[in-house]
Amino acid sequence: MINYFANPTRFLKIAKGLQPIVALIAVGSILTGLYYSLIQSPPDYQQSETVRMMYVHVPAAWMAMFCYVALAGFSSVLLIWRHIVADILAKSTAPIGACFTFLALATGSLWGKPMWGTWWVWDARLTSVLILFLLYLGYMVLYNAFDDRSRGARAAAILSIVGVINVPIIKFSVDWWNTLHQPASVIKMDGPAIHSSMLTPLILMAVGYTSLFIWILLIRARAELNLQKVHALKIRLAKV
Amino acid sequence: MKNRQKRFSFIGLGFLLIAGAAALVLSAFEDNIVFFHSPTEIVNKFRAQKLKPAQRLRVGGLVEKGSVTKVSDGATNRFKVTDLNNSIIVEFRGILPDLFREGQGIVAEGFYQNNIFNATDVLAKHDETYMPPEVAEALKKSGQWKPQ
C-alpha cells in the first residue's frame, strides 16, 4: 500500500479529488462547532464562561501531538522506503504542527491566567509541550540547513523520530508527576469526565481541526510537488 | 536481509535505545520534575532536616474546610493545605485566585519556616470534570457528588 501511494502522479490525482471534500468538512464542522461552543453550550460549574477556551485549546493540543506522530510516521517511511511523497508530506506537516502547538500554548496561557492565576509555569505538561514546539522548529531549521535537499530531509527525519519520544511524555506527564495542569478529561480509562453538552462541541471542533490539518497538508504537498517539478525542469533546461 | 529491512531494524533499535535513555533520565530527575510536594512530603523532609533554611518550595493540596482566616493585620490570608493525612499552615499576603475556596486544590510557592509556609504566590488547580452548574446541583442533591 505504501508503494501504491509513493507514485507522485497518483498522489496528486488523489489529493486533488480529496481536497474539496476535506475543505467542506473542515469549514462545516468548525462553523457549527464554534456556534455550539460559544453560544449553545452551557457555562461550567467551576469555571463559568471561561470554559469556552477549552473548545479552541484542547483540539489544538491534540493536533499538536497528532501532527507530530504523523511527521514521525512520514519520516520513518522516508528513511526506510525512500519515498518522495513521504518526504513531501513530512516537510509539509511540520509548519502546520508548529502552528497548532503555538495555538495550544497561546490559548493555554490565556486560559491559565484567569483560572490558575498565572500565564505560565514550568510544570511537566507545559514544559513538554514547549519542547514539542521547539522540536518542530528544529525540524524545519535542520531540513533547510543543508545545500543538498535529500541530506537535510534525512537528518530532519532522524530528529523527528528521536523527538517522538516526547509525545507519550506529554500525554502521561499529568499522571506521572504532580502538575498544575489537570489530568486528561476525554481520553481516560473510565470514560470522559465532560458533560455531553460540552463534549459535543469539543468533538465537532476536533473533527474540524483534523480536517483543517488534512486540507492544508494537501494544499502544501501539492504545491511542493509542483515546485519540485519546476525545479527539475529548470535543471534540465540549464543542461541543454 | 534486504537493505530496507536493515534500515527498519536500525530505526527500531535506535528508537528503543533512546526511549530507554529517556526513561532513565526522567526517573532520575523525578524529584525535580514534580511541580509541587504534598504537605506530608514537606513535613517529613523538614523533620529529616533535608530542607535548607531558605529553600523555595511549592506545596499542593486541598484548602482545608473551615481553615481560611485573616491574620490580625487584615491583609494576610491564613489557611491550611491538606493532603488528608497532614496539613500545613499557609500564610499569603496578596490577592487569591478566583477559584480559591475551601476544598479547592491549590499550589502555593514560598518558604517553610517555623511550621508556617510563607507563600509568595498562590495558584488554583482545577480538576478534569466539566459540567453545567445545573448538573452539578443535581448531583449534589442526589448525593452522587464526588469532590475532587
Side-chain angles (χ1 to χ4, degrees):
Chain A
M1 194 187 93
I2 288 171
N3 281 316
Y4 181 86
F5 288 111
N7 178 339
T9 326
R10 191 179 285 140
F11 173 80
L12 275 177
K13 219 171 124 190
I14 298 172
K16 208 176 170 186
L18 208 58
Q19 198 177 308
I21 304 172
V22 283
L24 201 70
I25 301 175
V27 174
S29 42
I30 287 181
L31 284 181
T32 43
L34 277 178
Y35 171 72
Y36 271 97
S37 42
L38 299 181
I39 297 157
Q40 269 290 320
S41 67
D44 181 56
Y45 78 109
Q46 240 190 132
Q47 311 191 15
S48 64
E49 301 290 345
T50 322
V51 76
R52 302 190 192 285
M53 199 59 117
M54 174 175 73
Y55 306 114
V56 287
H57 170 74
V58 172
W62 284 343
M63 289 316 293
M65 290 193 280
F66 178 80
C67 291
Y68 199 87
V69 173
L71 177 66
F74 293 139
S75 296
S76 345
V77 173
L78 163 69
L79 287 180
I80 297 167
W81 282 271
R82 304 268 155 92
H83 284 168
I84 309 167
V85 175
D87 173 30
I88 299 230
L89 286 175
K91 193 191 179 200
S92 317
T93 300
I96 314 173
C99 287
F100 277 124
T101 316
F102 180 78
L103 194 64
L105 287 169
T107 53
S109 185
L110 292 173
W111 195 8
K113 187 63 184 169
M115 282 302 107
W116 297 340
T118 179
W119 300 106
W120 180 265
V121 289
W122 294 99
D123 84 343
R125 171 57 72 84
L126 278 63
T127 310
S128 54
V129 175
L130 182 67
I131 292 173
L132 183 75
F133 183 60
L134 296 177
L135 276 171
Y136 277 120
L137 297 187
Y139 176 92
M140 292 189 276
V141 170
L142 192 58
Y143 198 105
N144 296 309
F146 293 82
D147 287 332
D148 178 6
R149 186 202 147 106
S150 65
R151 283 186 67 190
R154 245 177 274 170
I158 293 172
L159 173 71
S160 76
I161 294 171
V162 171
V164 84
I165 206 76
N166 191 32
V167 173
I169 295 178
I170 295 176
K171 166 73 188 148
F172 295 110
S173 56
V174 286
D175 304 319
W176 290 342
W177 302 291
N178 289 335
T179 53
L180 187 61
H181 196 286
Q182 70 284 359
S185 296
V186 181
I187 306 163
K188 55 182 229 158
M189 294 294 278
D190 44 351
I194 301 187
H195 192 258
S196 56
S197 59
M198 297 159 141
L199 191 59
T200 317
L202 184 61
I203 299 293
L204 270 173
M205 291 301 282
V207 171
Y209 274 41
T210 314
S211 23
L212 180 68
F213 161 62
I214 300 173
W215 183 19
I216 303 173
L217 177 66
L218 290 177
I219 295 174
R220 290 189 71 95
R222 287 176 64 194
E224 188 69 34
L225 268 171
N226 288 333
L227 199 70
Q228 284 200 359
K229 265 191 210 162
V230 172
H231 196 65
L233 280 176
K234 267 188 186 162
I235 290 175
R236 202 176 301 164
L237 275 178
K239 274 182 187 157
V240 172
Chain B
M1 224 195 216
K2 277 198 288 183
N3 266 344
R4 193 204 304 150
Q5 286 164 325
K6 240 184 231 166
R7 291 196 291 262
F8 188 88
S9 36
F10 187 72
I11 291 174
L13 198 69
F15 182 75
L16 283 180
L17 287 175
I18 291 162
L24 287 176
V25 169
L26 290 178
S27 56
F29 283 106
E30 163 122 46
D31 208 39
N32 296 303
I33 299 176
V34 292
F35 186 64
F36 57 84
H37 299 276
S38 69
T40 308
E41 283 167 350
I42 289 184
V43 168
N44 286 343
K45 272 193 179 174
F46 185 72
R47 285 204 189 118
Q49 297 190 318
K50 276 186 186 161
L51 289 184
K52 288 171 214 130
Q55 190 178 347
R56 262 185 109 74
L57 293 166
R58 291 197 196 90
V59 59
L62 305 175
V63 180
E64 198 168 292
K65 291 237 160 70
S67 73
V68 184
T69 50
K70 286 253 190 240
V71 182
S72 52
D73 70 353
T76 308
N77 304 285
R78 176 189 284 212
F79 50 90
K80 280 184 181 166
V81 169
T82 175
D83 58 5
L84 306 175
N85 291 319
N86 276 298
S87 60
I88 280 186
I89 299 170
V90 178
E91 286 193 355
F92 173 63
R93 201 185 157 94
I95 299 164
L96 291 166
D98 282 357
L99 274 183
F100 182 93
R101 62 202 144 170
E102 291 177 0
Q104 185 76 29
I106 63 121
V107 177
E109 184 177 345
F111 308 93
Y112 187 61
Q113 280 159 337
N114 310 324
N115 293 326
I116 286 185
F117 194 92
N118 280 301
T120 52
D121 279 296
V122 173
L123 304 175
K125 243 174 103 64
H126 60 81
D127 65 355
E128 68 276 25
T129 34
Y130 298 90
M131 63 181 103
E134 310 87 63
V135 177
E137 277 307 308
L139 278 179
K140 275 176 189 162
K141 260 183 202 160
S142 67
Q144 287 177 334
W145 181 253
K146 284 179 288 181
Q148 49 171 300

